[in-house]
Amino acid sequence: MAFDIANYTTVQERVALFYEKYPEGSIQFEYMGVMDGDPAKMWGVARAYRSADDPLPGVGTASEFIIGKSPYTLGSELQNLETSCWGRSLASLNIGTSKGLSSKEEILGNQEKRSPGPAKPKAVEVQAIEPPSTAMEADPWFSIPAMDEGVEDEEYTPLDVPACLHGPMTRRSGISKKTGKPYAGYFCDNEPQCDPKFDRS
């Protein structure tokens, strides 16, 4: 048999039937807090009094996610809990149960509780791309910082390292203290120093 949500009574219909039958009645809700053993849910109790001195009111309890799992419950979690408790308390008095004990809201809520929730965004792998080297011309205002100024050497294979009269040169990059411009290139660490070979675009 196909499932049809129209076969279930809404809490609104149950409340209308209750006050039609008990015009002096009252439905009271009490929030009970977070559920023991399940910190993701809260619960509450509702009591449906048929009269002001009703010694045995209808009692109903329900639980809901503290943070709703759908756009329809997110932001109105406590109201949904209260409505569910109302429906259960009225069902205990046999109000609106001709189509079943559960209300339409309960059936929809149970479907939501079984759902996995919103899909999590997939992780996207991002590959870092190094920017192209900045070409710089040697000028009278350019100075090569010493190794103790926080410039780190970069490692290259021997085929990438140019040589000067003293042998393989050392690669350095940084910001010129005099010009404030970035530089990168190969430098001679021996005396007398050979001319540096700067990166060029």
Side-chain angles (χ1 to χ4, degrees), residues 166-189:
H166 302 97
M169 303 179 76
T170 303
R171 180 169 177 81
R172 295 182 194 154
S173 61
I175 304 295
S176 171
K177 285 190 173 182
K178 290 188 177 181
T179 65
K181 297 179 180 179
Y183 71 89
Y186 295 87
F187 302 91
C188 175
D189 292 329

PDB file of all heavy atoms in Angstrom, residues 166-189:
ATOM      1  N   HIS A 166      84.495  31.269  -8.978  1.00  0.00           N
ATOM      2  CA  HIS A 166      84.795  30.523  -7.753  1.00  0.00           C
ATOM      3  C   HIS A 166      84.040  29.205  -7.650  1.00  0.00           C
ATOM      4  O   HIS A 166      84.210  28.465  -6.685  1.00  0.00           O
ATOM      5  CB  HIS A 166      84.455  31.399  -6.542  1.00  0.00           C
ATOM      6  CG  HIS A 166      85.191  32.702  -6.511  1.00  0.00           C
ATOM      7  ND1 HIS A 166      84.644  33.887  -6.965  1.00  0.00           N
ATOM      8  CD2 HIS A 166      86.446  33.011  -6.109  1.00  0.00           C
ATOM      9  CE1 HIS A 166      85.511  34.872  -6.823  1.00  0.00           C
ATOM     10  NE2 HIS A 166      86.625  34.365  -6.306  1.00  0.00           N
ATOM     11  N   GLY A 167      83.174  28.932  -8.603  1.00  0.00           N
ATOM     12  CA  GLY A 167      82.396  27.695  -8.548  1.00  0.00           C
ATOM     13  C   GLY A 167      80.902  27.974  -8.552  1.00  0.00           C
ATOM     14  O   GLY A 167      80.455  29.058  -8.976  1.00  0.00           O
ATOM     15  N   PRO A 168      80.054  26.992  -8.075  1.00  0.00           N
ATOM     16  CA  PRO A 168      78.598  27.178  -8.073  1.00  0.00           C
ATOM     17  C   PRO A 168      78.191  28.387  -7.235  1.00  0.00           C
ATOM     18  O   PRO A 168      78.731  28.635  -6.160  1.00  0.00           O
ATOM     19  CB  PRO A 168      78.060  25.884  -7.448  1.00  0.00           C
ATOM     20  CG  PRO A 168      79.157  24.891  -7.644  1.00  0.00           C
ATOM     21  CD  PRO A 168      80.441  25.655  -7.565  1.00  0.00           C
ATOM     22  N   MET A 169      77.233  29.125  -7.758  1.00  0.00           N
ATOM     23  CA  MET A 169      76.749  30.318  -7.063  1.00  0.00           C
ATOM     24  C   MET A 169      75.581  29.951  -6.140  1.00  0.00           C
ATOM     25  O   MET A 169      74.982  28.873  -6.267  1.00  0.00           O
ATOM     26  CB  MET A 169      76.322  31.382  -8.074  1.00  0.00           C
ATOM     27  CG  MET A 169      77.433  31.779  -9.045  1.00  0.00           C
ATOM     28  SD  MET A 169      76.927  33.009 -10.254  1.00  0.00           S
ATOM     29  CE  MET A 169      76.935  34.487  -9.253  1.00  0.00           C
ATOM     30  N   THR A 170      75.255  30.833  -5.219  1.00  0.00           N
ATOM     31  CA  THR A 170      74.197  30.600  -4.239  1.00  0.00           C
ATOM     32  C   THR A 170      72.958  31.422  -4.607  1.00  0.00           C
ATOM     33  O   THR A 170      73.065  32.604  -4.905  1.00  0.00           O
ATOM     34  CB  THR A 170      74.651  31.007  -2.824  1.00  0.00           C
ATOM     35  OG1 THR A 170      75.827  30.275  -2.491  1.00  0.00           O
ATOM     36  CG2 THR A 170      73.562  30.722  -1.803  1.00  0.00           C
ATOM     37  N   ARG A 171      71.811  30.762  -4.572  1.00  0.00           N
ATOM     38  CA  ARG A 171      70.561  31.468  -4.913  1.00  0.00           C
ATOM     39  C   ARG A 171      70.009  32.149  -3.674  1.00  0.00           C
ATOM     40  O   ARG A 171      69.938  31.577  -2.600  1.00  0.00           O
ATOM     41  CB  ARG A 171      69.525  30.504  -5.484  1.00  0.00           C
ATOM     42  CG  ARG A 171      68.213  31.214  -5.842  1.00  0.00           C
ATOM     43  CD  ARG A 171      67.293  30.329  -6.642  1.00  0.00           C
ATOM     44  NE  ARG A 171      66.029  31.001  -6.918  1.00  0.00           N
ATOM     45  CZ  ARG A 171      65.845  31.883  -7.884  1.00  0.00           C
ATOM     46  NH1 ARG A 171      66.857  32.198  -8.689  1.00  0.00           N
ATOM     47  NH2 ARG A 171      64.677  32.462  -8.069  1.00  0.00           N
ATOM     48  N   ARG A 172      69.571  33.394  -3.870  1.00  0.00           N
ATOM     49  CA  ARG A 172      68.941  34.156  -2.802  1.00  0.00           C
ATOM     50  C   ARG A 172      67.797  34.976  -3.386  1.00  0.00           C
ATOM     51  O   ARG A 172      67.811  35.339  -4.567  1.00  0.00           O
ATOM     52  CB  ARG A 172      69.945  35.107  -2.129  1.00  0.00           C
ATOM     53  CG  ARG A 172      71.071  34.410  -1.399  1.00  0.00           C
ATOM     54  CD  ARG A 172      71.973  35.422  -0.747  1.00  0.00           C
ATOM     55  NE  ARG A 172      73.226  34.797  -0.342  1.00  0.00           N
ATOM     56  CZ  ARG A 172      74.383  35.437  -0.204  1.00  0.00           C
ATOM     57  NH1 ARG A 172      74.457  36.730  -0.472  1.00  0.00           N
ATOM     58  NH2 ARG A 172      75.469  34.801   0.190  1.00  0.00           N
ATOM     59  N   SER A 173      66.815  35.278  -2.509  1.00  0.00           N
ATOM     60  CA  SER A 173      65.713  36.157  -2.889  1.00  0.00           C
ATOM     61  C   SER A 173      65.274  36.914  -1.657  1.00  0.00           C
ATOM     62  O   SER A 173      65.503  36.489  -0.526  1.00  0.00           O
ATOM     63  CB  SER A 173      64.540  35.354  -3.469  1.00  0.00           C
ATOM     64  OG  SER A 173      64.043  34.444  -2.501  1.00  0.00           O
ATOM     65  N   GLY A 174      64.667  38.047  -1.849  1.00  0.00           N
ATOM     66  CA  GLY A 174      64.219  38.843  -0.726  1.00  0.00           C
ATOM     67  C   GLY A 174      63.757  40.206  -1.176  1.00  0.00           C
ATOM     68  O   GLY A 174      63.431  40.425  -2.343  1.00  0.00           O
ATOM     69  N   ILE A 175      63.749  41.142  -0.237  1.00  0.00           N
ATOM     70  CA  ILE A 175      63.344  42.516  -0.502  1.00  0.00           C
ATOM     71  C   ILE A 175      64.534  43.427  -0.236  1.00  0.00           C
ATOM     72  O   ILE A 175      65.149  43.364   0.830  1.00  0.00           O
ATOM     73  CB  ILE A 175      62.164  42.933   0.388  1.00  0.00           C
ATOM     74  CG1 ILE A 175      60.985  41.966   0.203  1.00  0.00           C
ATOM     75  CG2 ILE A 175      61.747  44.369   0.093  1.00  0.00           C
ATOM     76  CD1 ILE A 175      60.382  41.986  -1.166  1.00  0.00           C
ATOM     77  N   SER A 176      64.868  44.267  -1.174  1.00  0.00           N
ATOM     78  CA  SER A 176      65.980  45.196  -1.016  1.00  0.00           C
ATOM     79  C   SER A 176      65.655  46.220   0.055  1.00  0.00           C
ATOM     80  O   SER A 176      64.584  46.831   0.038  1.00  0.00           O
ATOM     81  CB  SER A 176      66.274  45.901  -2.346  1.00  0.00           C
ATOM     82  OG  SER A 176      67.212  46.935  -2.139  1.00  0.00           O
ATOM     83  N   LYS A 177      66.573  46.413   0.998  1.00  0.00           N
ATOM     84  CA  LYS A 177      66.355  47.399   2.051  1.00  0.00           C
ATOM     85  C   LYS A 177      66.403  48.825   1.511  1.00  0.00           C
ATOM     86  O   LYS A 177      65.770  49.723   2.053  1.00  0.00           O
ATOM     87  CB  LYS A 177      67.407  47.227   3.149  1.00  0.00           C
ATOM     88  CG  LYS A 177      67.164  46.025   4.035  1.00  0.00           C
ATOM     89  CD  LYS A 177      68.078  46.044   5.241  1.00  0.00           C
ATOM     90  CE  LYS A 177      67.705  44.943   6.208  1.00  0.00           C
ATOM     91  NZ  LYS A 177      68.537  44.967   7.425  1.00  0.00           N
ATOM     92  N   LYS A 178      67.149  49.042   0.458  1.00  0.00           N
ATOM     93  CA  LYS A 178      67.295  50.394  -0.069  1.00  0.00           C
ATOM     94  C   LYS A 178      66.156  50.785  -0.993  1.00  0.00           C
ATOM     95  O   LYS A 178      65.667  51.910  -0.957  1.00  0.00           O
ATOM     96  CB  LYS A 178      68.631  50.530  -0.800  1.00  0.00           C
ATOM     97  CG  LYS A 178      69.834  50.503   0.145  1.00  0.00           C
ATOM     98  CD  LYS A 178      71.119  50.826  -0.601  1.00  0.00           C
ATOM     99  CE  LYS A 178      72.312  50.881   0.363  1.00  0.00           C
ATOM    100  NZ  LYS A 178      73.574  51.216  -0.342  1.00  0.00           N
ATOM    101  N   THR A 179      65.747  49.852  -1.858  1.00  0.00           N
ATOM    102  CA  THR A 179      64.707  50.193  -2.827  1.00  0.00           C
ATOM    103  C   THR A 179      63.334  49.683  -2.427  1.00  0.00           C
ATOM    104  O   THR A 179      62.328  50.152  -2.936  1.00  0.00           O
ATOM    105  CB  THR A 179      65.068  49.604  -4.209  1.00  0.00           C
ATOM    106  OG1 THR A 179      65.046  48.165  -4.117  1.00  0.00           O
ATOM    107  CG2 THR A 179      66.427  50.079  -4.662  1.00  0.00           C
ATOM    108  N   GLY A 180      63.283  48.704  -1.508  1.00  0.00           N
ATOM    109  CA  GLY A 180      62.000  48.124  -1.123  1.00  0.00           C
ATOM    110  C   GLY A 180      61.404  47.228  -2.176  1.00  0.00           C
ATOM    111  O   GLY A 180      60.246  46.837  -2.085  1.00  0.00           O
ATOM    112  N   LYS A 181      62.196  46.846  -3.194  1.00  0.00           N
ATOM    113  CA  LYS A 181      61.697  46.010  -4.280  1.00  0.00           C
ATOM    114  C   LYS A 181      62.176  44.567  -4.096  1.00  0.00           C
ATOM    115  O   LYS A 181      63.238  44.323  -3.533  1.00  0.00           O
ATOM    116  CB  LYS A 181      62.208  46.530  -5.629  1.00  0.00           C
ATOM    117  CG  LYS A 181      61.706  47.932  -5.968  1.00  0.00           C
ATOM    118  CD  LYS A 181      62.275  48.385  -7.310  1.00  0.00           C
ATOM    119  CE  LYS A 181      61.787  49.778  -7.672  1.00  0.00           C
ATOM    120  NZ  LYS A 181      62.347  50.233  -8.963  1.00  0.00           N
ATOM    121  N   PRO A 182      61.399  43.608  -4.579  1.00  0.00           N
ATOM    122  CA  PRO A 182      61.825  42.209  -4.471  1.00  0.00           C
ATOM    123  C   PRO A 182      62.928  41.898  -5.479  1.00  0.00           C
ATOM    124  O   PRO A 182      63.042  42.538  -6.522  1.00  0.00           O
ATOM    125  CB  PRO A 182      60.556  41.428  -4.800  1.00  0.00           C
ATOM    126  CG  PRO A 182      59.757  42.338  -5.661  1.00  0.00           C
ATOM    127  CD  PRO A 182      60.054  43.730  -5.171  1.00  0.00           C
ATOM    128  N   TYR A 183      63.737  40.935  -5.145  1.00  0.00           N
ATOM    129  CA  TYR A 183      64.784  40.494  -6.058  1.00  0.00           C
ATOM    130  C   TYR A 183      64.960  38.984  -5.895  1.00  0.00           C
ATOM    131  O   TYR A 183      64.550  38.380  -4.910  1.00  0.00           O
ATOM    132  CB  TYR A 183      66.113  41.196  -5.758  1.00  0.00           C
ATOM    133  CG  TYR A 183      66.753  40.719  -4.476  1.00  0.00           C
ATOM    134  CD1 TYR A 183      67.621  39.633  -4.469  1.00  0.00           C
ATOM    135  CD2 TYR A 183      66.460  41.344  -3.267  1.00  0.00           C
ATOM    136  CE1 TYR A 183      68.180  39.183  -3.284  1.00  0.00           C
ATOM    137  CE2 TYR A 183      67.014  40.906  -2.095  1.00  0.00           C
ATOM    138  CZ  TYR A 183      67.883  39.818  -2.088  1.00  0.00           C
ATOM    139  OH  TYR A 183      68.424  39.364  -0.924  1.00  0.00           O
ATOM    140  N   ALA A 184      65.561  38.362  -6.900  1.00  0.00           N
ATOM    141  CA  ALA A 184      65.907  36.938  -6.856  1.00  0.00           C
ATOM    142  C   ALA A 184      67.021  36.707  -7.850  1.00  0.00           C
ATOM    143  O   ALA A 184      67.057  37.314  -8.928  1.00  0.00           O
ATOM    144  CB  ALA A 184      64.704  36.074  -7.195  1.00  0.00           C
ATOM    145  N   GLY A 185      67.940  35.845  -7.492  1.00  0.00           N
ATOM    146  CA  GLY A 185      69.041  35.558  -8.386  1.00  0.00           C
ATOM    147  C   GLY A 185      70.118  34.727  -7.723  1.00  0.00           C
ATOM    148  O   GLY A 185      69.920  34.191  -6.633  1.00  0.00           O
ATOM    149  N   TYR A 186      71.266  34.620  -8.385  1.00  0.00           N
ATOM    150  CA  TYR A 186      72.390  33.837  -7.900  1.00  0.00           C
ATOM    151  C   TYR A 186      73.542  34.779  -7.540  1.00  0.00           C
ATOM    152  O   TYR A 186      73.807  35.747  -8.237  1.00  0.00           O
ATOM    153  CB  TYR A 186      72.835  32.830  -8.961  1.00  0.00           C
ATOM    154  CG  TYR A 186      71.794  31.792  -9.244  1.00  0.00           C
ATOM    155  CD1 TYR A 186      70.800  32.023 -10.199  1.00  0.00           C
ATOM    156  CD2 TYR A 186      71.784  30.585  -8.547  1.00  0.00           C
ATOM    157  CE1 TYR A 186      69.823  31.078 -10.443  1.00  0.00           C
ATOM    158  CE2 TYR A 186      70.801  29.631  -8.800  1.00  0.00           C
ATOM    159  CZ  TYR A 186      69.826  29.880  -9.739  1.00  0.00           C
ATOM    160  OH  TYR A 186      68.865  28.936  -9.983  1.00  0.00           O
ATOM    161  N   PHE A 187      74.239  34.467  -6.437  1.00  0.00           N
ATOM    162  CA  PHE A 187      75.264  35.362  -5.915  1.00  0.00           C
ATOM    163  C   PHE A 187      76.537  34.596  -5.573  1.00  0.00           C
ATOM    164  O   PHE A 187      76.487  33.410  -5.227  1.00  0.00           O
ATOM    165  CB  PHE A 187      74.744  36.087  -4.664  1.00  0.00           C
ATOM    166  CG  PHE A 187      73.500  36.867  -4.927  1.00  0.00           C
ATOM    167  CD1 PHE A 187      72.249  36.274  -4.754  1.00  0.00           C
ATOM    168  CD2 PHE A 187      73.562  38.159  -5.374  1.00  0.00           C
ATOM    169  CE1 PHE A 187      71.091  36.986  -5.005  1.00  0.00           C
ATOM    170  CE2 PHE A 187      72.399  38.886  -5.618  1.00  0.00           C
ATOM    171  CZ  PHE A 187      71.164  38.295  -5.440  1.00  0.00           C
ATOM    172  N   CYS A 188      77.623  35.317  -5.664  1.00  0.00           N
ATOM    173  CA  CYS A 188      78.932  34.753  -5.333  1.00  0.00           C
ATOM    174  C   CYS A 188      79.212  35.006  -3.843  1.00  0.00           C
ATOM    175  O   CYS A 188      79.036  36.122  -3.358  1.00  0.00           O
ATOM    176  CB  CYS A 188      80.011  35.417  -6.200  1.00  0.00           C
ATOM    177  SG  CYS A 188      81.694  34.910  -5.768  1.00  0.00           S
ATOM    178  N   ASP A 189      79.655  33.973  -3.133  1.00  0.00           N
ATOM    179  CA  ASP A 189      79.927  34.089  -1.699  1.00  0.00           C
ATOM    180  C   ASP A 189      81.416  34.262  -1.410  1.00  0.00           C
ATOM    181  O   ASP A 189      81.825  34.224  -0.245  1.00  0.00           O
ATOM    182  CB  ASP A 189      79.406  32.847  -0.967  1.00  0.00           C
ATOM    183  CG  ASP A 189      77.891  32.785  -0.979  1.00  0.00           C
ATOM    184  OD1 ASP A 189      77.259  33.854  -0.979  1.00  0.00           O
ATOM    185  OD2 ASP A 189      77.333  31.661  -0.991  1.00  0.00           O
TER     186      ASP A 189
END
